[in-house]
Amino acid sequence: MALACQSSGVHAAVRLTNGNAAALSADTVNTCIDPETRIQPSAARLIHVQTDTAIALPPHLDVVRIGKPNDRLAPDLDVSGFPHSEFVSRVHAEIRLDAQSYYIEDIGSSNGTYINHLPLARGNRHRLQPGDRIALGKGDLVTFVFQLV
């Protein structure tokens, strides 16, 4: 099996696939990755604060559109069944997976998107961290907490 390796200058010990241990010097640590291996991001979910409902972000999508259905586009995460959804726009926000990190962006909502009680300017992306509070619309009435699982 061919491996691709890179150096990082940290001391470490590793266990090889054949069960043997190998020590690497403080000068060079080789992190070897099988070229066929793809790093999978952590699964993510949103917890709806008002109802304590967990919603898994679809793992097969790099972009998850949040909003309510309209005649042109159905959102990937439909919030129309949650209390106070009238404050959420039909096309409200997107959560995007980019380089193993999740980002949220307000994509033209009428009532805004708030991260940890601070407004997210339309078109700006916020890198989500576990525990971030996402409010769709003013008044913290439709609120989610971002989690990695």
Side-chain angles (χ1 to χ4, degrees), residues 8-66:
S8 68
V10 178
H11 181 72
V14 296
R15 177 132 339 250
L16 303 175
T17 56
N18 64 6
N20 295 332
L24 302 174
S25 74
D27 294 329
T28 305
V29 169
N30 289 323
T31 305
C32 298
I33 302 169
D34 179 348
E36 302 292 316
T37 301
R38 300 186 105 187
I39 297 173
Q40 295 295 321
S42 299
R45 68 180 179 182
L46 300 176
I47 305 296
H48 183 250
V49 172
Q50 289 78 12
T51 62
D52 199 31
T53 303
I55 305 164
L57 295 181
H60 62 284
L61 297 177
D62 289 337
V63 177
V64 177
R65 290 173 182 83
I66 303 169

Side-chain angles (χ1 to χ4, degrees), residues 45-134:
R45 68 180 179 182
L46 300 176
I47 305 296
H48 183 250
V49 172
Q50 289 78 12
T51 62
D52 199 31
T53 303
I55 305 164
L57 295 181
H60 62 284
L61 297 177
D62 289 337
V63 177
V64 177
R65 290 173 182 83
I66 303 169
K68 298 183 296 192
N70 63 37
D71 57 353
R72 297 177 308 139
L73 183 67
D76 303 306
L77 199 156
D78 180 358
V79 300
S80 62
F82 289 109
H84 305 291
S85 65
E86 64 271 15
F87 295 104
V88 179
S89 297
R90 299 199 185 287
V91 180
H92 197 103
E94 291 179 344
I95 294 179
R96 181 178 302 272
L97 176 60
D98 187 15
Q100 310 303 315
S101 295
Y102 289 90
Y103 296 84
I104 188 165
E105 178 180 346
D106 185 299
I107 55 172
S109 70
S110 298
N111 292 312
T113 301
Y114 296 80
I115 307 298
N116 302 320
H117 306 285
L118 298 173
L120 178 63
R122 180 179 179 180
N124 285 352
R125 285 188 188 172
H126 169 81
R127 183 177 179 188
L128 289 168
Q129 301 295 323
D132 275 353
R133 189 176 180 97
I134 302 164

